[in-house]
Amino acid sequence: MISNAMIQALKHLARHEVEFVVVGGIAAALNGASRTTQDVDIVYRRNPDNFAKIVRALAPLNPYLRGAPPGLPFIFDEETLAKGLNFTLTTTLCDLDLIGEAPGGGEFDKLIANAEVARDDEGTIYFASLPDLIRMKRAAGRPKDFEALAELEILLSMQSGNN
Amino acid sequence: MGIRSQIPLVSANGVVFCWRIDLGGKPMTEDKLSNGPAPQEPLFPPIPHIEAYKPGIDRTLLVENLKLTPLERLARLADLGESIKELRKLVRGPGATAK
């Protein structure tokens, strides 16, 4: 379920000037989809400056590897980010997936070029456009996404005035 | 099939159409003859198993969502999520913790 904590998490990252594009179910909801989701997925820019911002932003939220047994040594720092690519994390606010490269969508630079913008007094959040979301979901090819994909494609046709 | 007459029409942007009309006056087809833009390829070719879900999608919900700003759409779903959490607590009874 989408929760207020997920929105807080996104705004928290934006306040810390982390460069990211929201993808997945939250981006679908921002585009108008009526479906809910369990976690926050973001594609982040992979460079040392952004690694530092992510580490600084997430430190107070106790990031930990989702599904890993408690007590495993896990140091979430710039080096960890540099050596890895995709991270599925739990935080004190919500589950958070940090994605370095999304199948069908590519890296941050590619997604940000077409991204949509959500802005309020607390900051600016960039989220993947409908065509990019559809490309990513089609590339994933998961049967559980078929209905969500149908909804996204209808939204796209509504946007283009073909429905 | 009855006898058809062909009536050329010119639209506001100068595109010439030819409507073939049967004797009952019902338009049969619309053929673009000249000057129009080339037909647009769909951005995503249809996939049958995704198309199969489309009739079941509630478009009225989507229309309502599109009237809101992106953050309002998210807040609306979050409110729904919080309400469901509250309901679950009530169902489980006092003292129960949410999963």
Side-chain angles (χ1 to χ4, degrees):
Chain A
M1 273 179 303
I2 291 176
S3 63
N4 288 325
M6 290 175 166
I7 302 174
Q8 281 175 41
L10 290 173
K11 290 183 175 176
H12 177 80
L13 291 169
R15 271 197 303 275
H16 282 79
E17 298 177 349
V18 173
E19 292 181 279
F20 65 96
V21 176
V22 185
V23 296
I26 298 279
L30 285 161
N31 272 293
S34 60
R35 249 147 259 276
T36 189
T37 184
Q38 302 288 338
D39 57 13
V40 173
D41 301 319
I42 63 168
V43 172
Y44 63 100
R45 188 194 284 278
R46 284 189 59 78
N47 67 23
D49 181 46
N50 205 38
F51 295 159
K53 287 174 183 168
I54 293 170
V55 169
R56 217 167 22 245
L58 292 187
L61 306 181
N62 299 327
Y64 192 69
L65 293 172
R66 194 153 78 239
L72 277 186
F74 174 63
I75 300 168
F76 188 73
D77 60 8
E78 286 97 320
E79 193 183 341
T80 303
L81 278 170
K83 285 182 175 167
L85 183 66
N86 300 334
F87 300 85
T88 53
L89 303 173
T90 60
T91 73
T92 51
L93 281 176
C94 63
D95 289 347
L96 175 67
D97 289 0
L98 301 179
I99 302 165
E101 186 174 349
E107 297 178 350
F108 173 87
D109 287 337
K110 196 170 168 211
L111 288 169
I112 196 73
N114 306 318
E116 306 281 349
V117 183
R119 212 175 257 123
D120 73 359
D121 299 340
E122 295 176 75
T124 301
I125 292 167
Y126 295 90
F127 58 98
S129 66
L130 274 174
D132 279 339
L133 276 179
I134 292 169
R135 267 183 217 106
M136 282 184 267
K137 289 238 180 251
R138 281 189 171 211
R142 297 177 301 192
K144 70 168 191 156
D145 287 335
F146 290 170
E147 195 171 4
L149 247 175
E151 189 181 42
L152 292 175
E153 292 187 11
I154 289 172
L155 276 167
L156 185 65
S157 65
M158 284 171 141
Q159 272 190 0
S160 4
N162 294 332
N163 202 4
Chain B
M1 209 179 285
I3 300 168
R4 294 175 183 168
S5 62
Q6 295 200 340
I7 304 172
L9 296 172
V10 181
S11 71
N13 60 0
V15 177
V16 180
F17 294 94
C18 182
W19 288 67
R20 290 201 294 267
I21 299 175
D22 71 5
L23 287 176
K26 186 180 170 188
M28 300 290 287
T29 57
E30 186 180 333
D31 296 334
K32 199 175 282 184
L33 295 180
S34 63
N35 296 334
Q40 216 176 352
E41 287 288 315
L43 193 52
F44 298 100
I47 298 175
H49 51 263
I50 292 166
E51 295 300 310
Y53 280 100
K54 290 187 179 175
I57 303 287
D58 185 348
R59 285 165 168 78
T60 58
L61 268 179
L62 304 184
V63 168
E64 288 307 307
N65 282 346
L66 291 178
K67 291 176 187 167
L68 305 172
T69 65
L71 285 174
E72 286 171 342
R73 293 169 196 157
L74 201 56
R76 191 184 198 179
L77 283 172
D79 286 347
L80 179 70
E82 301 297 337
S83 305
I84 291 171
K85 267 191 214 163
E86 289 302 311
L87 277 172
R88 282 183 180 163
K89 276 185 206 163
L90 286 174
V91 169
R92 289 196 191 105
T97 51
K99 248 190 179 176

